[in-house]
Amino acid sequence: MPGIHEVQGEIERGPSLRKLGFDSKNLDFWDSGFVSFLIRVIRICGERDIEVTGEGLPEGAQRLIGLALAVPERREPGKDEKITPSLVLVTGGRVMKIWASLMETLTFVGETATAFLRLFGGKARFKGSDFLLVVQESGAGALPIVSLISLLVGLILAFVGSIQLRMFGAQIYIADLVAIAMARAMGAIMTGIIMAGRTGAAFAARIGTMQVNEEIDALKTAGIPPMEFLVLPRILALALMMPLLTLYADLMGILGGMIVGVGGFGIGLVEYFNETRKALTLANIWIGLFSSLIFGVLIAVAGCLRGMRCGRSASAVGDTTTSAVVTSIVSIIIATALITIGCDVLGI
Amino acid sequence: MKEPEAHIVVEDLTMAFGTNIVQQNLTFTINRGDIFIIMGGSGCGKSTLMRHLVGLHRPCKGRVLYDGISFWDGDEEERQRVLRHVGVMYQSGALWSSMTLAENIGLLLEEYMGVDTEKAREVASLKLALVGLAGFEDYYPSEISGGMKKRASIARAMALDPDILFLDEPSGGLDPISGRMLDDLILELRATLGTTIVVITHELASIFAIGTNSVFLDTDTKTMTASGDPKVLRATCENDTIQNFLTRGEGRVKQRAERNGVAACLDQRAKVGG
Ligand SMILES: Nc1ncnc2c1ncn2[C@@H]1O[C@H](COP(=O)(O)OP(=O)(O)O)[C@@H](O)[C@H]1O
Ligand SMILES: [Mg+2]
């Protein structure tokens, strides 16, 4: 069988045709590929006012073609015209997109703030059971993985620190290093990243799926504001659980450091404990807890924002989840940087 | 019969997503106590029209009046006040998936009627029984079939005894008997509570059995091509598309492309340019 372009070329180049027929006497097998080829030939002929007769074709193929051509092809304006965009257009489009997403985020933050105001004014409502469920899922459910990760981070910190400290025979300062690093930053950051992947993604997927199923619309028309019903309990729950989990992560990290210090470098248990206590000032712990509170809010807002802005298809839910996790992690790192610089400036 | 009283008035409504216009220049009136049918081919914008009427999309042009008050010109609180008396059943059901059927309905009752959980459950049971789902109170939406979801969703839409009930393809995916039961339920609701009911449907039997008024949205011209009692439309309307729709293509106007005259059709298509 010739390719469609050959036929097209033949029709264009050859003497002006009036009529086109088919000869399929020697054809003993055909499939949909054959029919779609014929339809394209017929369309090409149609554009050039060439009459086509289907008589030479197998009976079944004729019928299928008839069915396929019974309804005219639908042409959406704007669906099939493909513009090759210039650099300016691409850049402009990107900027517009970034601008739109910035405005979207600001709107969402504004809506969240309004919802919180209504909550403090005693007007907002959500189900207490929802709040507790999120607390359970995001808090207790995350304990095993938080334990594992923080313990290992404590171990790693101790080992890495020991490389330098051992040269001066100052192994005992491993305790200080691990305690300060965990309490001040690492505990909160690691917990934040775990929660972003675990809970932030779950929020986005959950709310996104509700968006796809029109459940959010149903809430709206039932007069139940989704911002209050879905978003508030999630932000509150995560803002509550993040500091608690961080505190726990700090402990596990210090335990990890202790295992290395005591087991690997022969520091006495009591000695290590005392050194840790000296290093752990209240300021360090507060900074860590404050960061974790901020992270909790950031993760919950990112997850809920992406979920609420989800498109209406299954693939949109996937994109939403991805972007929720990416947004959370990036904002956690940026927030850490800002807090660290802020503390340095303030001299804490 | 007393004089019909306009309940919802749609004036010159145009709906679009970005630059893609879905329907334009829609003007019709839904009277109090009507069973108003929105019909038209798949994808012509029926659901979109409903979403405009219940406040989920702002029209690009035109107005929607509820009892003479412009819905979109008021503020959010005004809209909520109107929506308080509106029940909506979505095409996909849109039941809240984290709640059981009883909780789905009960949430609204607790929220608005201020009843306690026990009373809410009682009323929820009643509403479920009305749509033939007695005994399914503690099922989650994921545990019931598509047709049952539709019915549960109708029960939820009826929870607050709304003045206006919007039903988006309520009988799609239902067996003929359940479909018939649903029609009876709709007629009962209108007779007992005087509810205005707006139904989006393709079921011809149901359109003629319950419809008192209708609007036909055309896909090609992107506007409404007829409105009125569907039975009258079938008898008098001259428009080919509407006749074909109301008679499943078997009416006075024969489809030009007969199935067996394929070769002829094929030749003709080729001539007119594919
Ligand atoms: N969220 C959306 N964004 C863009 N286009 C949409 C959206 N929803 C629906 N449409 C378009 O609007 C048209 C009407 O859709 P719809 O109202 O669902 O049709 P139906 O009459 O079958 O209910 C469709 O052609 C669809 O492409
Ligand atoms: Mg629809």
Side-chain angles (χ1 to χ4, degrees):
Chain A
M1 203 167 81
I4 186 73
H5 296 294
E6 287 170 46
V7 176
Q8 185 164 10
E10 203 66 31
I11 292 173
E12 275 164 5
R13 255 180 284 111
S16 69
L17 279 174
R18 293 275 83 231
K19 199 166 163 155
L20 190 118
F22 300 96
D23 177 9
S24 63
K25 274 197 288 297
N26 295 328
L27 187 71
D28 44 26
F29 170 80
W30 55 273
D31 57 12
S32 302
F34 176 60
V35 176
S36 67
F37 167 76
L38 291 176
I39 288 175
R40 292 198 54 183
V41 172
I42 292 168
R43 290 233 161 89
I44 290 170
C45 292
E47 282 162 17
R48 291 178 179 67
D49 280 334
I50 300 168
E51 199 180 328
V52 184
T53 51
E55 272 139 39
L57 291 172
E59 169 87 20
Q62 282 193 38
R63 287 185 174 229
L64 280 183
I65 293 171
L67 271 181
L69 294 180
V71 179
E73 198 180 15
R74 179 170 164 167
R75 288 199 185 277
E76 284 276 325
K79 264 265 148 101
D80 51 5
E81 41 184 277
K82 287 217 173 56
I83 318 159
T84 12
S86 67
L87 188 67
V88 181
L89 220 67
V90 172
T91 322
R94 288 269 164 80
V95 172
M96 298 277 278
K97 237 188 198 157
I98 293 173
W99 179 247
S101 86
L102 194 68
M103 290 319 283
E104 212 168 58
T105 311
L106 284 181
T107 317
F108 187 82
V109 171
E111 283 172 11
T112 313
T114 324
F116 266 102
L117 282 183
R118 284 173 58 85
L119 179 71
F120 295 133
K123 272 203 234 152
R125 56 244 150 130
F126 55 80
K127 282 169 70 169
S129 58
D130 275 1
F131 171 73
L132 291 179
L133 196 71
V134 182
V135 162
Q136 189 197 343
E137 276 172 4
S138 60
L143 276 181
I145 179 136
V146 171
S147 312
L148 180 71
I149 302 278
S150 343
L151 193 76
L152 291 181
V153 168
L155 283 173
I156 295 166
L157 281 175
F159 271 121
V160 172
S162 73
I163 298 175
Q164 198 67 25
L165 291 172
R166 215 163 26 162
M167 293 204 298
F168 306 107
Q171 289 98 318
I172 183 65
Y173 290 111
I174 291 174
D176 299 58
L177 176 83
V178 173
I180 294 175
M182 282 312 290
R184 215 174 154 113
M186 290 313 282
I189 293 179
M190 292 323 286
T191 316
I193 289 177
I194 294 168
M195 296 310 269
R198 215 180 158 272
T199 311
F203 286 178
R206 185 65 211 282
I207 297 180
T209 315
M210 290 185 75
Q211 192 70 264
V212 174
N213 289 340
E214 299 182 300
E215 288 176 49
I216 306 263
D217 294 335
L219 281 176
K220 283 187 197 153
T221 44
I224 303 171
M227 288 303 294
E228 293 171 18
F229 195 75
L230 296 173
V231 176
L232 275 192
R234 288 182 162 77
I235 294 181
L236 283 177
L238 216 52
L240 177 71
M241 291 324 284
M242 267 296 290
L244 292 180
L245 281 172
T246 299
L247 214 52
Y248 175 73
D250 293 351
L251 283 179
M252 292 310 285
I254 289 170
L255 187 68
M258 195 180 276
I259 293 172
V260 174
V262 174
F265 299 101
I267 307 170
L269 193 61
V270 182
E271 211 181 339
Y272 193 99
F273 181 74
N274 285 334
E275 191 65 30
T276 302
R277 247 197 21 199
K278 256 199 290 170
L280 264 189
T281 59
L282 216 49
N284 284 334
I285 296 180
W286 277 124
I287 290 172
L289 289 185
F290 172 73
S291 313
S292 72
L293 178 74
I294 302 285
F295 297 167
V297 173
L298 285 175
I299 295 166
V301 167
C304 295
L305 162 72
R306 296 301 174 199
M308 294 292 285
R309 299 288 181 268
C310 179
R312 294 199 179 264
S313 65
S315 68
V317 177
D319 297 343
T320 284
T321 316
T322 313
S323 89
V325 174
V326 173
T327 315
S328 317
I329 292 181
V330 170
S331 52
I332 285 175
I333 302 299
I334 293 177
T336 312
L338 291 180
I339 291 172
T340 313
I341 295 171
C343 287
D344 190 57
V345 170
L346 293 176
I348 309 173
Chain B
M1 270 303 271
K2 58 180 177 355
E3 193 63 10
E5 179 193 344
H7 203 166
I8 307 175
V9 177
V10 174
E11 278 179 1
D12 196 28
L13 183 76
T14 294
M15 317 182 286
F17 291 100
T19 54
N20 178 20
I21 289 178
V22 179
Q23 287 283 329
Q24 55 195 359
N25 309 334
L26 304 180
T27 301
F28 56 87
T29 301
I30 301 174
N31 289 320
R32 200 169 281 280
D34 258 351
I35 295 181
F36 190 93
I37 313 274
I38 299 176
M39 51 191 176
S42 311
C44 70
K46 304 181 295 295
S47 302
T48 310
L49 173 58
M50 185 184 90
R51 296 170 64 82
H52 279 76
L53 295 184
V54 300
L56 291 170
H57 278 298
R58 189 177 279 277
C60 3
K61 189 168 137 251
R63 298 201 297 169
V64 178
L65 306 171
Y66 276 83
D67 288 319
I69 299 165
S70 177
F71 185 70
W72 286 107
D73 293 334
D75 58 1
E76 182 63 30
E77 263 172 45
E78 181 69 40
R79 281 199 283 281
Q80 287 302 333
R81 221 173 359 261
V82 172
L83 288 178
R84 163 75 180 72
H85 302 285
V86 172
V88 187
M89 177 239 154
Y90 292 85
Q91 187 164 7
S92 62
L95 293 165
W96 297 309
S97 49
S98 58
M99 294 181 233
T100 64
L101 299 190
E103 285 167 352
N104 260 279
I105 300 169
L107 178 68
L108 297 177
L109 297 165
E110 286 172 37
E111 200 62 25
Y112 286 104
M113 307 285 220
V115 299
D116 58 20
T117 315
E118 200 176 324
K119 183 84 175 71
R121 193 183 159 87
E122 251 169 55
V123 181
S125 295
L126 166 72
K127 300 284 173 183
L128 283 173
L130 284 180
V131 293
L133 284 177
F136 284 93
E137 285 85 353
D138 294 322
Y139 280 63
Y140 282 93
S142 57
E143 297 169 339
I144 58 178
S145 78
M148 285 153 84
K149 273 184 211 158
K150 292 222 157 184
R151 282 187 277 164
S153 178
I154 295 169
R156 187 181 66 184
M158 302 189 314
L160 297 171
D161 297 326
D163 293 342
I164 310 167
L165 194 55
F166 286 92
L167 306 174
D168 193 348
E169 303 201 10
S171 48
L174 288 192
D175 60 278
I177 315 268
S178 311
R180 176 67 205 281
M181 272 175 55
L182 197 63
D183 285 353
D184 292 343
L185 175 70
I186 292 173
L187 290 171
E188 277 307 315
L189 277 178
R190 180 170 85 122
T192 52
L193 300 173
T195 315
T196 306
I197 302 170
V198 181
V199 191
I200 297 174
T201 181
H202 300 288
E203 295 285 317
L204 287 176
S206 150
I207 290 176
F208 295 123
I210 60 174
T212 60
N213 200 352
S214 70
V215 61
F216 186 92
L217 305 183
D218 192 63
T219 320
D220 297 328
T221 57
K222 294 199 188 301
T223 186
M224 53 185 277
T225 44
S227 69
D229 187 327
K231 289 185 280 290
V232 177
L233 279 186
R234 180 177 52 175
T236 61
C237 186
E238 293 296 336
N239 185 312
D240 284 6
T241 324
I242 299 175
Q243 272 303 327
N244 271 331
F245 185 93
L246 290 177
T247 57
R248 300 188 74 213
E250 291 155 6
R252 293 177 299 168
V253 187
K254 284 280 174 199
Q255 248 182 320
R256 300 230 156 70
E258 292 281 343
R259 284 274 156 97
N260 29 20
V262 168
C265 156
L266 190 152
D267 293 345
Q268 194 193 0
R269 282 281 165 208
K271 261 183 250 150
V272 297

